[in-house]
Amino acid sequence: MMNQTNQTEIASQSRRKWWVFLAVGIGTFMSALDSSVVNMILPIIRQHFNSDVSMVEWTVVIYLLVVSSLLLSFGRIGDLRGHKSIYISGFLIFVTASMACGLASSVGLLVAGRAIQALGAAMLLANSPAILTKSFPPRQRGQVLGMQATMTYLGLTVGPSLGGWLTQSFGWRSVFYINVP
């Protein structure tokens, strides 16, 4: 009887770790996607807001600056406060800021929304590896971290094509709304 209980618990933990990977993988994919998806639609945003190129470029630059400057800080905060809570907070910030970007009525508001979106992305990206290494046994850590890297590069690769298709099919705001569901 005890052996069967242990086997059931092990099977449950095995399924749980893959659900954790799915959640972290989606966050990683979306964060990476949003760093490349906007590049294709800059001319359309520029035209929509009748703005100059240098201002519209900030929608890309601010995202990369904020993410790269906050990664280490949010990793450390995750060490101190718990990776899961920082990750979930980052997800909520990321999704809310994505909605704000889609609703932006000016380039300035879009840039501000992108900065907040990047704040959430930094929280996600900084805590993802720690969550995965805690959820998987040592023998699978290399595998799961490699799969997470694949999700990152998949997001970066799919971004420009997806951004172009969404903009052509549904308008430029849809590029940001895809993060909301």
Side-chain angles (χ1 to χ4, degrees):
M1 187 66 152
M2 186 67 113
N3 192 21
Q4 186 178 12
T5 304
N6 287 342
Q7 288 176 344
T8 304
E9 186 176 315
I10 290 170
S12 175
Q13 288 174 347
S14 181
R15 282 190 300 273
R16 182 187 167 277
K17 69 184 177 188
W18 291 110
W19 284 110
V20 169
F21 172 75
L22 181 63
V24 169
I26 288 170
T28 301
F29 175 81
M30 295 310 293
S31 298
L33 178 84
D34 271 43
S35 69
S36 67
V37 74
V38 176
N39 294 333
M40 290 301 292
I41 64 168
L42 288 178
I44 293 158
I45 293 172
R46 182 185 158 283
Q47 182 181 3
H48 177 83
F49 290 119
N50 196 24
S51 183
D52 58 16
V53 173
S54 62
M55 186 61 181
V56 173
E57 281 287 330
W58 274 102
T59 59
V60 174
V61 173
I62 197 71
Y63 189 89
L64 297 174
L65 280 173
V66 170
V67 167
S68 60
S69 65
L70 293 178
L71 278 174
L72 290 176
S73 298
F74 281 122
R76 181 65 179 144
I77 292 169
D79 290 341
L80 298 172
R81 307 258 173 158
H83 298 287
K84 182 180 176 182
S85 63
I86 301 300
Y87 183 89
I88 291 170
S89 298
F91 217 106
L92 293 172
I93 291 168
F94 182 81
V95 169
T96 303
S98 295
M99 178 64 82
C101 288
L103 295 170
S105 58
S106 69
V107 175
L109 288 174
L110 180 59
V111 171
R114 287 283 285 171
I116 296 167
Q117 187 184 41
L119 174 83
M123 293 168 81
L124 293 171
L125 293 171
N127 288 282
S128 296
I131 291 170
L132 291 174
T133 56
K134 286 180 182 178
S135 299
F136 282 80
R139 71 181 192 292
Q140 286 186 301
R141 287 182 185 156
Q143 174 191 15
V144 77
L145 291 174
M147 291 169 61
Q148 182 202 12
T150 301
M151 296 301 282
T152 300
Y153 290 109
L154 206 74
L156 291 171
T157 303
V158 169
S161 315
L162 182 62
W165 178 78
L166 284 170
T167 301
Q168 184 177 5
S169 301
F170 305 105
W172 70 268
R173 295 177 190 277
S174 65
V175 167
F176 301 104
Y177 292 146
I178 60 167
N179 298 325
V180 176

